[in-house]
Amino acid sequence: MAPKHNDNDVLVELRPNKSTAESANASTSSSTGTSNPDDLDTRGVSVYHLQHVFLEKEVCRTTKKSFPWSRQRRHKTLSRASTIHDIENLHQGTLPGGVIRNKGANTICPIDGKMGAAYVHCLQGKDRVGEATHMLSYSSSYTIAEIVDTLTGFCCQNNLNPKRTYIWMCCLCVNPHRVAVENTITADKSGRRKAPSVDFVATLGERVKKIGHLLAMISPLSAPVYLTRVWCIFEIFTAHTTHGCKVDILMPPKEKLSLEQDLVQGGAGVNSLYEMIGNIRVEDANASLESVREAILQQVESGVGCSELNCQVKEFLRGWILSILTQLVEAREKTNGEEYDYCNQIGFFLDKNGEHNAATKVHQTALTICETNLNKNDKKKAATCHLLGLSLKKQGDYDGALKSFQTCLAIALSVVGRNHPRVATIYGNIGSILEKMGDYDGALENYEEAVAIRLPLFGKDHPSIATTYNNMGVVLYKMGDTEGALAKYMEALVIRESALGKDHPDVAATYNNIGAVLLATGDLEGAFSRFHGALAIREHVLGKDHPAVTATNSNIAAAQRHSHTGTQRSGAFEFSWHDHTVFVDC
């Protein structure tokens, strides 16, 4: 049985051997309309050929029975659902090849003059082959139909002629016969395959620069394989940092549809995608060849370093998601008023993932739709105003946020009345804005309103009551009332320990704030006790690398400096934002 394969093979590219390849060069150059032998390195297959010949005539009409690695498969023929690995398995060394190797088995390679050529070097005619206009970065776990459909969709969307859009992709443009041989002769006694004998990293940079346009194909939306592969991450980084090279991220058509449906149904897939991008670490990525993975990481560390690479790739991919979501909003903006909730959903995802400026614009679009199509006191407008207020608050536009929250409150009071949980939430958010603006009396007044509504609805031991007490403690401390602040924190702590358990992160936040007040009042022993209590919970629940752990350590360091110098210094207060529950409906 063949070894499990889940990544693009690093295909070896060999350079011309001059005289032995001259006649082959001339023949191939003539048939493709090119005359420079160097173009052999960057020759691509047309999208038209991929769709109408490679997929429809060569792959889907090929029997698998001649492929040793496919004998145990249920289906007897290749199909649109076949992956690149199904079509050609280079792990099998010199055993009978698949569609790609069979194509060039009896053709002299124009690069080295030996029998056995790359697929691209077997094609003739400008409608089939030409100087590559784009380079495709992908995983060999993708199906051939996904790849072809994605490329044809790209051509259609960008008004490109499929017969003049030439794609360089490693499985078709690097000689598989040489790769298969090298895979056989370079395997050591333990079966561990060694890295190719050429400098593939340098070859990648040269090719990316020459072609000048990378298409990175990411699929599936729910768990993109691409983001877990070291070679794929390195390819997109190389293209992104190469001067003059353009990078486009592509998804198969069905994945685009899936993304839209996912947003309507709650957006779990989009959230997962954001999380995967946030967790990208090239040093943890996988590869078919461990030796190749090691070589790539060595190259990265000798250059920008893994940390910088990770940051740049994350930033680029986050920008890609932002552009997709923005395009969806622009398309929906032209439709009727029922699309406001779709825009709000997108805005919520953007805001949640740190794209506050973009989220604000999306919520403003939703608000415009509401004002155009709905009554001025409609509860849907209230929801949009609340989300807009949250985005503006995170950008530091407190005046704008206060106006949005006040509009939301006025509508909510007229629709559901004062004694409603979401009205309490709005009061809490107004209080947080006034606290930021320095209006402490106004902040306390709104927090007290929130408590007055919640007590009869939820009872005195509800976590939302503790949240408001915590926030009131912050305001009282800023007003200089340390005794009042400590009392509110202790009330919040009793509720949280009872309702959430003693190891909950919110309990740790309250410990931290109590410690800060005790430090400010000179109770060093009490401050250390509370800070260390917060640290123990956070390290246990969140891990030692979490930002909250770093914040707690900073407060402990402040207490230590105070103990050495006698200088009064408070720790950092943690303002609880649980009042900022998204206002979805009234």
Side-chain angles (χ1 to χ4, degrees):
M1 182 177 293
K4 185 178 179 181
H5 176 76
N6 54 7
D7 191 22
N8 305 13
D9 278 300
V10 179
L11 301 185
V12 181
E13 180 167 9
L14 304 178
R15 300 295 181 178
N17 287 335
K18 295 185 179 181
S19 60
T20 58
E22 287 179 357
S23 60
N25 286 343
S27 174
T28 307
S29 298
S30 175
S31 66
T32 59
T34 60
S35 58
N36 186 354
D38 291 339
D39 292 339
L40 294 169
D41 290 345
T42 52
R43 197 159 291 174
V45 182
S46 74
V47 174
Y48 171 84
H49 179 88
L50 289 172
Q51 179 182 16
H52 296 288
V53 180
F54 182 67
L55 173 59
E56 297 176 1
K57 296 182 179 180
E58 295 178 342
V59 172
C60 293
R61 296 183 184 180
T62 299
T63 301
K64 281 188 175 181
K65 64 182 181 180
S66 62
F67 304 166
W69 64 90
S70 300
R71 287 176 180 169
Q72 302 302 319
R73 295 183 182 275
R74 182 174 58 185
H75 301 293
K76 294 182 179 180
T77 59
L78 296 173
S79 67
R80 289 175 56 86
S82 299
T83 67
I84 295 297
H85 180 58
D86 291 332
I87 294 168
E88 187 66 68
N89 186 346
L90 297 177
H91 293 302
Q92 288 296 321
T94 57
L95 290 175
V99 172
I100 298 173
R101 267 192 282 177
N102 286 341
K103 178 76 171 180
N106 298 315
T107 301
I108 296 176
C109 174
I111 291 182
D112 62 13
K114 299 178 182 179
M115 186 62 70
Y119 183 97
V120 69
H121 295 144
C122 300
L123 304 181
Q124 297 184 12
K126 292 183 179 180
D127 291 351
R128 314 286 184 183
V129 62
E131 182 69 11
T133 56
H134 303 81
M135 176 179 174
L136 182 67
S137 178
Y138 64 103
S139 167
S140 62
S141 64
Y142 296 165
T143 69
I144 183 60
E146 285 179 324
I147 293 174
V148 172
D149 290 347
T150 300
L151 292 172
T152 53
F154 173 75
C155 289
C156 181
Q157 184 177 355
N158 293 277
N159 297 317
L160 299 175
N161 182 354
K163 293 183 177 181
R164 297 295 178 268
T165 304
Y166 305 109
I167 307 298
W168 193 99
M169 50 189 300
C170 60
C171 68
L172 300 180
C173 299
V174 171
N175 193 323
H177 303 278
R178 308 301 175 263
V179 176
V181 171
E182 182 149 333
N183 282 345
T184 300
I185 65 176
T186 60
D188 58 27
K189 294 181 180 180
S190 66
R192 183 176 184 268
R193 290 159 55 219
K194 299 180 181 179
S197 58
V198 296
D199 187 352
F200 59 89
V201 174
T203 302
L204 171 65
E206 294 169 5
R207 184 178 297 112
V208 165
K209 185 175 182 179
K210 189 171 183 180
I211 296 175
H213 196 162
L214 181 81
L215 304 178
M217 182 177 165
I218 295 182
S219 178
L221 172 66
S222 57
V225 177
Y226 189 96
L227 302 182
T228 68
R229 313 307 297 170
V230 67
W231 183 252
C232 295
I233 295 172
F234 185 64
E235 279 184 323
I236 201 170
F237 169 76
T238 300
H240 176 57
T241 56
T242 296
H243 178 71
C245 183
K246 182 179 180 181
V247 183
D248 282 318
I249 308 294
L250 307 183
M251 288 191 301
K254 68 176 183 179
E255 290 298 325
K256 288 186 177 180
L257 180 61
S258 174
L259 185 146
E260 293 194 51
Q261 293 173 341
D262 176 76
L263 288 170
V264 172
Q265 297 170 1
V270 177
N271 276 331
S272 296
L273 186 57
Y274 263 116
E275 289 177 6
M276 282 198 70
I277 290 174
N279 292 327
I280 286 177
R281 283 170 52 88
V282 68
E283 56 268 45
D284 295 335
N286 302 316
S288 295
L289 290 173
E290 179 59 25
S291 52
V292 168
R293 178 180 175 278
E294 293 170 356
I296 291 176
L297 294 181
Q298 183 178 4
Q299 174 72 14
V300 172
E301 287 295 354
S302 65
V304 298
C306 289
S307 178
E308 178 63 20
L309 182 148
N310 292 335
C311 288
Q312 292 201 34
V313 172
K314 289 177 186 179
E315 182 180 358
F316 177 77
L317 292 175
R318 285 175 65 90
W320 162 63
I321 299 181
L322 175 58
S323 67
I324 291 178
L325 298 181
T326 301
Q327 290 170 13
L328 291 175
V329 170
E330 291 173 349
R332 297 284 178 140
E333 188 177 2
K334 301 174 183 178
T335 60
N336 59 48
E338 295 301 317
E339 302 298 341
Y340 88 95
D341 54 347
Y342 188 82
C343 294
N344 275 339
Q345 187 80 327
I346 291 177
F348 170 69
F349 288 130
L350 291 171
D351 200 38
K352 179 180 178 180
N353 288 282
E355 305 287 356
H356 306 311
N357 185 53
T360 296
K361 294 179 181 178
V362 171
H363 289 315
Q364 288 172 336
T365 296
L367 185 59
T368 299
I369 294 174
C370 288
E371 291 176 339
T372 302
N373 296 278
L374 304 173
N375 296 327
K376 66 178 182 178
N377 286 335
D378 194 288
K379 60 184 180 180
K380 296 176 181 178
K381 180 180 177 182
T384 305
C385 287
H386 193 273
L387 290 167
L388 178 59
L390 294 177
S391 295
L392 291 170
K393 184 270 299 179
K394 291 175 181 176
Q395 292 182 78
D397 183 357
Y398 302 130
D399 289 327
L402 181 60
K403 181 179 178 180
S404 292
F405 285 136
Q406 288 174 336
T407 301
C408 178
L409 178 63
I411 297 173
L413 288 172
S414 68
V415 174
V416 299
R418 176 180 178 275
N419 297 319
H420 192 280
R422 289 188 172 85
V423 173
T425 296
I426 301 168
Y427 275 121
N429 282 312
I430 291 175
S432 71
I433 294 298
L434 293 175
E435 181 269 329
K436 289 290 186 181
M437 299 174 72
D439 183 356
Y440 300 136
D441 289 329
L444 283 178
E445 182 180 342
N446 278 273
Y447 286 142
E448 287 166 356
E449 283 287 340
V451 171
I453 295 171
R454 285 170 171 160
L455 278 173
L457 292 174
F458 304 130
K460 62 184 180 63
D461 295 326
H462 194 270
S464 66
I465 303 295
T467 294
T468 307
Y469 284 160
N470 182 86
N471 294 348
M472 292 174 74
V474 172
V475 175
L476 289 168
Y477 177 81
K478 289 186 175 181
M479 295 174 71
D481 184 359
T482 54
E483 184 177 346
L486 185 59
K488 287 299 178 184
Y489 287 143
M490 294 304 297
E491 287 185 86
L493 180 62
V494 170
I495 297 172
R496 284 176 166 171
E497 286 185 332
S498 174
L500 305 175
K502 294 188 177 182
D503 289 335
H504 195 278
D506 287 355
V507 173
T510 309
Y511 278 159
N512 188 82
N513 287 351
I514 292 173
V517 173
L518 295 175
L519 178 61
T521 58
D523 184 355
L524 293 180
E525 184 177 350
F528 274 120
S529 175
R530 295 300 183 175
F531 286 149
H532 282 290
L535 182 64
I537 295 172
R538 285 173 166 170
E539 287 186 340
H540 174 68
V541 176
L542 305 175
K544 293 185 178 181
D545 294 330
H546 195 277
V549 173
T550 303
T552 308
N553 280 320
S554 295
N555 284 345
I556 292 174
Q560 290 171 337
R561 287 193 295 272
H562 175 79
S563 65
H564 292 153
T565 63
T567 304
Q568 194 174 49
R569 180 174 181 171
S570 64
F573 279 92
E574 298 190 8
F575 195 73
S576 179
W577 292 107
H578 292 279
D579 259 340
H580 294 128
T581 304
V582 176
F583 187 101
V584 177
D585 199 1
C586 285

